[in-house]
């Protein structure tokens, strides 16, 4: 069942989105070669707590971390570990924040050092596919319009769209109806309505779209071990164009945030 949101609901999500975006802005300052994904998880966890919010992914259906940190051939739900990032890596960081009952969900991908031309293109195509999907996410269009816009652009660039994981509604719960595939036919599927809140989160592979699941039961990786990349925004459906709640450019770190980040980096050798 799809739940249309009120402006009060959306304002709560907007406040959570500010914390989420600030967490990503903070992570940008510590992502570098030599830092482990476990260190990033611990850093983000502490930052969200400092912001008086709850890391909503922690213990969600048993997931044991505050971030999903998916590196290179990992598609999504990557476990933070002692793996140290190295130049040429792509890391996709998925984060969900709960602030006073409002939920915000976004994944952002980061280049570590300099990427190969092909991997740089992967990141650019993935981000552009997200933008094209969002452009179709307006009242009166259908779910299939989003997926078709993403898939047609991605395949025209020689890459593939993961089919096993999709976007979703979000509200009181992290995952609600409707499901939002990143592939499909235009003019098909659920009609979009004002005040629906959904995520669009294309996962794009250089090789085949098929995946395998690691022994931990969570981490999905490309079956052919090709590189993967993901970008995700949480949006509100409006008449003319979607409102992007998780737009990092709308937010900035406070002076106190900056001080706290530097203290943490120095203390933990980041």
């Amino acid at each position: 069942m799809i739940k249309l949101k009120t402006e009060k609901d959306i304002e709560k999500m907007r406040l959570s989105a500010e914390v989420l975006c600030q967490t990503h802005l903070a992570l940008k300052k510590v992502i570098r070669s030599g830092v482990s994904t476990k260190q990033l998880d611990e850093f983000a966890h502490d930052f969200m707590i400092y912001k008086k919010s709850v890391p909503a992914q922690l213990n969600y259906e048993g997931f044991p971390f505050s971030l999903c940190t998916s590196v290179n051939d990992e598609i999504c739900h990557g476990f933070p570990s002692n793996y140290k990032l190295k130049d040429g890596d792509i890391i996709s960081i998925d984060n969900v924040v709960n602030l006073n009952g409002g939920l915000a969900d976004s994944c952002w991908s980061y280049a570590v050092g300099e990427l190969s031309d092909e991997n740089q293109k992967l990141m650019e195509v993935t981000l552009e596919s997200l933008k094209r999907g969002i452009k179709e996410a307006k009242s009166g269009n259908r779910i299939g319009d989003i997926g078709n816009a993403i898939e047609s652009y991605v395949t025209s660039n020689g890459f593939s769209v993961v089919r096993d994981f999709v976007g979703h509604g979000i509200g009181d719960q992290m995952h609600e109806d409707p499901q939002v595939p990143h592939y499909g036919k235009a003019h098909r599927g659920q009609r979009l309505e004002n005040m629906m809140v959904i995520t669009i989160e294309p996962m794009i592979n250089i090789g085949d779209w098929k995946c395998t699941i690691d022994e931990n039961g969570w981490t999905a990786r490309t079956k052919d071990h090709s590189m993967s990349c993901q970008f995700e925004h949480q949006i509100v459906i409006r008449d003319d164009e979607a409102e992007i709640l998780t737009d990092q450019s709308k937010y900035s770190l406070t002076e106190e945030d900056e001080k706290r980040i530097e203290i943490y980096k120095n203390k933990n050798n980041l």
Side-chain angles (χ1 to χ4, degrees):
M1 176 178 163
I2 296 172
K3 302 175 185 175
L4 300 182
K5 307 303 185 290
T6 66
E7 289 294 352
K8 185 176 180 180
D9 294 331
I10 293 166
E11 179 57 27
K12 288 174 70 175
M13 294 181 191
R14 199 176 284 120
L15 293 172
S16 295
E18 180 175 12
V19 174
L20 182 147
C21 289
Q22 287 174 326
T23 304
H24 276 284
L25 293 173
L27 280 163
K28 286 180 183 178
K29 293 180 175 290
V30 298
I31 293 172
R32 62 169 176 78
S33 181
V35 172
S36 73
T37 55
K38 184 178 179 183
Q39 286 176 302
L40 296 179
D41 181 68
E42 292 169 348
F43 169 79
H45 178 91
D46 286 355
F47 189 86
M48 286 182 275
I49 297 299
Y50 146 70
K51 285 290 186 177
K52 298 181 171 55
S53 66
V54 175
Q57 288 182 144
L58 181 61
N59 297 322
Y60 176 77
E61 295 187 354
F63 188 79
F65 300 99
S66 297
L67 297 180
C68 296
T69 55
S70 304
V71 181
N72 295 339
D73 69 338
E74 294 176 337
I75 296 169
C76 61
H77 305 153
F79 273 25
S81 70
N82 291 324
Y83 174 80
K84 291 184 178 180
L85 297 173
K86 62 183 187 297
D87 286 350
D89 284 348
I90 295 175
I91 179 169
S92 299
I93 298 180
D94 197 357
N95 186 20
V96 185
V97 167
N98 183 336
L99 180 67
N100 300 322
L103 289 174
D105 182 3
S106 179
C107 178
W108 215 249
S109 287
Y110 303 93
V112 182
E114 199 163 327
L115 299 183
S116 69
D117 290 345
E118 187 176 41
N119 290 347
Q120 183 63 44
K121 180 182 177 183
L122 173 66
M123 288 192 69
E124 292 170 359
V125 167
T126 305
L127 183 56
E128 177 62 24
S129 76
L130 172 63
K131 293 176 181 177
R132 292 185 180 220
I134 291 173
K135 189 175 180 180
E136 296 299 321
K138 56 188 175 183
S139 182
N141 278 5
R142 293 183 179 273
I143 293 287
D145 295 319
I146 298 172
N148 181 260
I150 292 170
E151 183 182 25
S152 59
Y153 175 72
V154 168
T155 56
S156 73
N157 279 278
F159 299 142
S160 65
V161 179
V162 172
R163 292 172 175 249
D164 298 86
F165 302 94
V166 299
H168 52 86
I170 183 169
D172 295 335
Q173 304 297 319
M174 193 184 301
H175 295 103
E176 297 183 352
D177 290 333
Q179 292 197 338
V180 185
H182 306 111
Y183 59 91
K185 295 182 178 179
H187 316 306
R188 301 285 181 88
Q190 174 70 43
R191 190 176 295 279
L192 299 169
E193 299 180 56
N194 273 334
M195 309 303 280
M196 288 172 62
V197 180
I198 62 174
T199 70
I200 301 177
E201 46 187 294
M203 288 150 268
I204 308 304
N205 300 343
I206 284 179
D208 191 79
W209 62 265
K210 296 184 179 67
C211 74
T212 61
I213 304 297
D214 285 0
E215 289 182 3
N216 62 33
W218 282 93
T219 304
R221 68 177 69 241
T222 57
K223 190 172 183 179
D224 59 9
H225 299 293
S226 63
M227 295 286 280
S228 187
C229 181
Q230 180 185 14
F231 286 99
E232 172 189 12
H233 272 315
Q234 179 172 329
I235 64 172
V236 184
I237 302 300
R238 305 286 192 185
D239 278 331
D240 298 321
E241 62 178 4
E243 176 188 356
I244 303 173
L245 297 178
T246 50
D247 182 354
Q248 294 176 29
S249 68
K250 293 179 181 177
Y251 303 104
S252 60
L253 295 167
T254 67
E255 188 175 329
E256 182 59 33
D257 295 341
E258 298 277 11
K259 289 179 182 177
R260 190 175 185 89
I261 292 165
E262 287 307 309
I263 291 171
Y264 190 96
K265 284 170 66 176
N266 292 333
K267 182 179 177 182
N268 293 277
N269 227 7
L270 295 181

